[in-house]
Amino acid sequence: MTAIRDDVFDGLDAALAAIAGLGEYDVMPAGDPVKFPALHLIDNGQGPEPNTEAHVNRYALAFSIEGYVVSDAGGRAAHKDMNALYAKAVAAIMAFADTSPMIEDVEEGTLRVVTAKLAEVRTIGFSLDFTLIYATRRGDPENL
């Protein structure tokens, strides 16, 4: 068996990897993207969720997505492309969460937007935080 948090990441991974038109998709990437549009899934750890009951551990799992686009037109065109990638990624995450029996809740957090020179090209990107709530049997992270 695997830890439920790994099953959650398997679901997030599948949902995000299925987004059409990505040049690159990676989980916990070791470096900057080289193909665009790029999307990355980042595990930011977890903490205890205070709303619990007997024999249950409930967790607030923190994760982020990072998206990057380039546009020959630059400026506003790149910004529109970034917003489209953001919308597709959020929709994929929410669709997975809404159909998964493992997930009790998922909330969007802070969205940060940046411009940068990555892989020798000018990019616009975003990072978006999420908090996802899931539960396990007390002391048994492999079982609900």
Side-chain angles (χ1 to χ4, degrees), residues 118-142:
L118 301 173
E120 297 304 315
V121 293
R122 294 176 65 182
T123 66
I124 186 169
F126 69 88
S127 177
L128 176 61
D129 299 328
F130 287 87
T131 302
L132 181 149
I133 307 299
Y134 75 98
T136 69
R137 279 191 211 153
R138 185 173 180 84
D140 185 1
E142 292 182 344

Side-chain angles (χ1 to χ4, degrees), residues 57-69:
N57 281 348
R58 193 164 268 110
Y59 299 100
L61 186 147
F63 69 94
S64 300
I65 55 172
E66 295 177 348
Y68 304 91
V69 299

Side-chain angles (χ1 to χ4, degrees), residues 14-15 20 22-23 25 27-28 31 36 42 50 52-53 56 61 63 73 85 87 99 111 136:
L22 291 178
Y25 171 75
V27 179
M28 302 300 289
F36 301 92
I42 312 295
T52 193
E53 64 237 27
V56 173
L61 186 147
F63 69 94
L85 179 58
T99 60
L111 173 71
T136 69

Side-chain angles (χ1 to χ4, degrees), residues 49-100:
E49 169 64 22
N51 299 323
T52 193
E53 64 237 27
H55 309 292
V56 173
N57 281 348
R58 193 164 268 110
Y59 299 100
L61 186 147
F63 69 94
S64 300
I65 55 172
E66 295 177 348
Y68 304 91
V69 299
V70 295
S71 174
D72 291 336
R76 183 65 180 122
H79 192 241
K80 283 180 181 268
D81 291 345
M82 184 217 64
N83 284 324
L85 179 58
Y86 152 80
K88 289 178 188 176
V90 170
I93 289 167
M94 295 304 182
F96 162 66
D98 287 347
T99 60
S100 173

Side-chain angles (χ1 to χ4, degrees), residues 6-53:
D6 199 49
D7 293 338
V8 168
F9 274 102
D10 282 347
L12 291 169
D13 182 35
L16 293 171
I19 294 173
L22 291 178
E24 174 180 311
Y25 171 75
D26 200 1
V27 179
M28 302 300 289
D32 292 336
V34 293
K35 294 181 183 175
F36 301 92
L39 190 62
H40 297 160
L41 174 60
I42 312 295
D43 180 349
N44 294 324
Q46 68 186 35
E49 169 64 22
N51 299 323
T52 193
E53 64 237 27

